[in-house]
Amino acid sequence: MKKSLKHVLFVVGMTSLPAMAHIGYTGRNFGTFDDTYAMSTRSDQAVTGNYGWIDGTDADYGDAHKTLAYRFTLLSPTDVTLSFQQATSQVTDHSGNVSTSQLGLMPGFSLFQGLAHVAPMGADYDSSDISRANRPDYTEGSFRALNDWKIGNAPDTVNDIPAALSFFKYIGHAYDGTGFGSDGTADGRVSHTFMNLAPGDYSVFLGGADYLSQDISNPNLLNKYGVTGTLVAGVVPEPETYAMLLAGLGLMGTIVRRRKSHGNV
Ligand SMILES: [Ca+2]
Ligand SMILES: [Ca+2]
């Protein structure tokens, strides 16, 4: 802890108090899918601050603790649509205190191939020795929103397991707002479809996309913002398909009626 505190004190630029959470997926596993149409929603989740995603787009990386990690697994090549939107949610802190998060998240997310360490392995975190040894000194954390990145855990001295890195391979991203590259509408929601993803494990890192909200003078700096995430897997039947189907049925009905009326005559 001494090292990480020292690190925090030496960080320059826009930054805030360190969060103590490690990367985990509890309550945020969308599930396992193939290309069969399926939908999965994860609610009652909240992220601290409204800048965690976009802070990982800049040159000094970002703090993974200011993001939420989601996961899913694909068994075959699959089209996946990910959607996130602001919500209020019930938040339970480490002491078991329950509170209600606030609205106002501008969601941004990136999709990566790969998975963080999960139990019984130790969880990954920004200030671990192996994490810090594998990124430049000037960085705020290990998270990168637009690139491949890596983060690791602490050595398990009890079971004599050395620290190890988790690797995330960048697939794509989307974010709410009106800035360059955003979805163009600051309405607290964002969605993106990823076509033909290969089988395997995936991680989604979600956070706020309001870059200026990380200013230390922001009174809402440490607020928790609620978010609901939805994954749709597989080929979604398109409205045009239904329309053609209905039109076809209508046409057949007309033909049948005509034949019947001809028969009656
Ligand atoms: Ca940054
Ligand atoms: Ca939007």
Side-chain angles (χ1 to χ4, degrees):
M1 272 347 289
K2 198 177 171 189
K3 270 184 183 171
S4 64
L5 185 62
K6 193 174 156 193
H7 173 65
V8 166
L9 291 174
F10 275 100
V11 164
V12 291
M14 289 193 195
T15 189
S16 56
L17 298 172
M20 288 296 135
H22 295 2
I23 293 179
Y25 302 100
T26 304
R28 293 184 299 276
N29 185 354
F30 284 117
T32 301
F33 307 91
D34 55 21
D35 211 24
T36 308
Y37 175 70
M39 182 185 289
S40 175
T41 296
R42 293 291 172 268
S43 53
D44 270 342
Q45 301 297 320
V47 62
T48 303
N50 205 353
Y51 60 88
W53 178 80
I54 204 161
D55 193 29
T57 65
D58 61 19
D60 61 6
Y61 304 10
D63 182 349
H65 298 126
K66 298 295 182 184
T67 67
L68 282 179
Y70 293 72
R71 63 175 288 190
F72 61 91
T73 304
L74 300 179
L75 301 176
S76 59
T78 302
D79 296 346
V80 170
T81 299
L82 292 165
S83 306
F84 295 93
Q85 66 179 80
Q86 62 175 342
T88 53
S89 58
Q90 297 300 305
V91 185
T92 306
D93 68 15
H94 292 96
S95 309
N97 302 312
V98 179
S99 60
T100 301
S101 69
Q102 69 180 66
L103 281 173
L105 181 71
M106 287 178 63
F109 70 94
S110 297
L111 173 65
F112 303 89
Q113 266 181 324
L115 205 59
H117 286 110
V118 294
M121 303 296 287
D124 302 321
Y125 58 107
D126 294 273
S127 58
S128 73
D129 289 345
I130 196 171
S131 294
R132 295 174 64 205
N134 281 277
R135 65 178 194 245
D137 284 342
Y138 58 81
T139 46
E140 298 175 309
S142 296
F143 174 62
R144 304 193 76 185
L146 308 176
N147 298 83
D148 299 351
W149 60 289
K150 47 194 179 290
I151 189 168
N153 54 16
D156 180 345
T157 50
V158 175
N159 298 303
D160 200 23
I161 302 171
L165 289 169
S166 299
F167 295 89
F168 300 105
K169 181 175 164 46
Y170 171 78
I171 304 289
H173 72 277
Y175 72 102
D176 183 37
T178 54
F180 176 78
S182 70
D183 71 359
T185 311
D187 56 0
R189 65 182 65 199
V190 67
S191 184
H192 192 79
T193 299
F194 301 90
M195 303 296 287
N196 204 30
L197 293 175
D201 288 318
Y202 290 84
S203 294
V204 182
F205 284 84
L206 170 120
D210 180 4
Y211 193 78
L212 296 179
S213 75
Q214 65 184 296
D215 193 292
I216 201 82
S217 68
N218 175 13
N220 299 315
L221 189 67
L222 296 178
N223 282 9
K224 284 194 174 293
Y225 293 85
V227 61
T228 297
T230 301
L231 181 153
V232 175
V235 178
V236 183
E238 293 185 12
E240 291 82 359
T241 312
Y242 285 124
M244 284 175 62
L245 191 64
L246 290 171
L249 286 172
L251 191 64
M252 281 182 65
T254 307
I255 292 166
V256 169
R257 278 196 298 278
R258 276 187 184 164
R259 279 185 182 161
K260 274 186 179 169
S261 64
H262 278 291
N264 288 344
V265 167

